[in-house]
Amino acid sequence: MFSNAVRVRKSPPKQGWRAAVYALSGGRWNPGLSDAEERLREQLGKIRTPLPGPHSVVVSSIKGGVGKTTVTALLGLALAEYRGDRVIAMDANPDAGTLGDRLVGEEQASKTTVRDLLDNLDQIRSSTQLSGYTHLAGRLQVLTSEQEPELSEMFSADDYEAVLRTLSRYYEALLTDSGTGVVHSAMQGSLRHADSLVIVGAPTQDGASRASRTLQWLATHQDSQGLFPYRQLAQDAVVVLSCDRSSPYVDESVICEHFRARCRAVVELPADPHLSTGGIVDLDALSPAARDAALNLAATVAEGFQGRRTTGLAAHGFRG
């Protein structure tokens, strides 16, 4: 009763001249949040979407060099930084992936890898034991790939599933940086257990066409029973266009509209001096535009944490 009689108080600003005015007035004058602060608040609200159980997000592309690993790193860092649950990013690239290099550095990443974990999976009884095989980048846990080509190539769907089953007991959000071959054994394993899919392309003719082919393959691929197991996954996918490669001769709006008609959302990641170095990714070192894009990506992916479950972890007997 009389709930409508209570005046709504504006949230105090924390940035720019608005925050200065609020502080100098002792809180008596509150100009409210700026548009940027309102946008950030909305993004963080989406990023914190609750999870009903472990959720597998696979980041994929059938073209190398378009920023797939960078996108995985940004997504993992943003989710881990602003969510209250546990987030891990796994490098499942069978070609000596570089996710560990981008998150913890090459030397640290090579100390323990997914192969070490596979060799000792039956000994894992707690998150503390599991942490001996992962690396920490901010609040994000990272499981790096094997760097020896012979051992890396041996990473199969069975290996992936065994690792994922263990990780799903201790983490809520599980990100997979996959390889570039959709028919590779490990990639098939990741797709089989995916709850969400992020496809990375570029606003160029080749970068966009490869991403489109990935979506087309997922939508039309039939299994041995004549079913289309990845059709819903493709429809609910988020496409990221990495704009470090672009051309004034390409109409990016045409490319964006093409993907918006075929998936759930499109996110553009602008070129960024920090990311272009190829070094360790740091959210605080990004340009304002790139940081906003990273948070927008995390918010968009997290919106799919509820109500868009596919045949992922829960359907295959994983914890949930």
Side-chain angles (χ1 to χ4, degrees):
M1 185 179 293
F2 301 117
S3 59
N4 59 343
V6 179
R7 294 188 178 91
V8 177
R9 296 183 61 185
K10 297 179 181 178
S11 298
K14 298 180 180 179
Q15 301 174 359
W17 67 266
R18 296 168 182 267
V21 167
Y22 181 80
L24 290 172
S25 69
R28 291 188 297 275
W29 186 26
N30 184 357
L33 302 179
S34 66
D35 290 344
E37 286 182 302
E38 287 282 8
R39 176 173 171 79
L40 176 60
R41 186 177 184 178
E42 180 181 356
Q43 287 174 331
L44 297 185
K46 292 178 180 179
I47 289 173
R48 292 163 180 155
T49 299
L51 272 169
H55 191 102
S56 172
V57 181
V58 174
V59 184
S60 177
S61 173
I62 60 173
K63 177 176 174 56
V66 294
K68 175 175 58 63
T69 295
T70 299
V71 167
T72 306
L74 290 172
L75 177 58
L77 289 170
L79 290 175
E81 179 67 24
Y82 295 107
R83 292 183 61 83
D85 49 17
R86 297 160 295 184
V87 183
I88 188 167
M90 171 172 53
D91 194 337
N93 194 327
D95 299 314
T98 59
L99 181 65
D101 298 1
R102 301 303 307 277
L103 286 170
V104 298
E106 184 177 356
E107 182 178 354
Q108 180 66 26
S110 63
K111 289 183 177 179
T112 55
T113 70
V114 67
R115 181 57 55 185
D116 297 310
L117 177 59
L118 276 166
D119 291 341
N120 296 279
L121 269 182
D122 58 346
Q123 300 178 25
I124 303 299
R125 298 289 184 272
S126 68
S127 59
T128 301
Q129 290 177 317
L130 181 57
S131 66
Y133 299 92
T134 63
H135 310 271
L136 195 60
R139 294 171 55 88
L140 175 68
Q141 293 286 346
V142 186
L143 182 58
T144 61
S145 67
E146 178 58 55
Q147 296 302 296
E148 291 296 330
E150 296 84 0
L151 294 176
S152 178
E153 183 61 31
M154 290 168 57
F155 192 67
S156 66
D158 289 342
D159 292 334
Y160 176 83
E161 291 172 358
V163 171
L164 191 68
R165 186 174 297 276
T166 296
L167 297 183
S168 68
R169 297 204 301 264
Y170 304 104
Y171 295 94
E172 281 70 45
L174 303 92
L175 279 61
T176 298
D177 182 13
S178 65
T180 56
V182 292
V183 296
H184 188 278
S185 177
M187 182 61 184
Q188 286 294 301
S190 65
L191 287 174
R192 191 177 305 125
H193 299 292
D195 294 301
S196 295
L197 180 66
V198 176
I199 296 176
V200 183
T204 61
Q205 186 172 1
D206 61 339
S209 65
R210 292 300 181 91
S212 183
R213 288 180 188 178
T214 305
L215 275 176
Q216 179 68 14
W217 185 89
L218 290 166
T220 60
H221 174 72
Q222 286 183 280
D223 60 18
S224 58
Q225 298 177 326
L227 302 176
F228 298 89
Y230 307 134
R231 177 169 289 176
Q232 191 63 47
L233 196 63
Q235 291 175 354
D236 287 341
V238 176
V239 169
V240 178
L241 296 177
S242 182
C243 301
D244 58 338
R245 284 200 311 139
S246 60
S247 169
Y249 301 107
V250 175
D251 189 343
E252 296 183 10
S253 65
V254 173
I255 293 175
C256 288
E257 287 306 312
H258 169 85
F259 286 111
R260 288 194 181 102
R262 290 163 174 78
C263 65
R264 179 164 66 88
V266 177
V267 175
E268 295 183 73
L269 177 63
D272 179 82
H274 169 63
L275 296 178
S276 65
T277 66
I280 296 177
V281 177
D282 180 358
L283 287 180
D284 292 333
L286 298 176
S287 67
R291 182 180 174 85
D292 177 76
L295 294 181
N296 187 36
L297 170 61
T300 304
V301 170
E303 282 187 287
F305 283 173
Q306 288 191 343
R308 287 192 173 91
R309 295 190 67 80
T310 63
T311 58
L313 296 176
H316 288 85
F318 286 69
R319 182 180 64 89

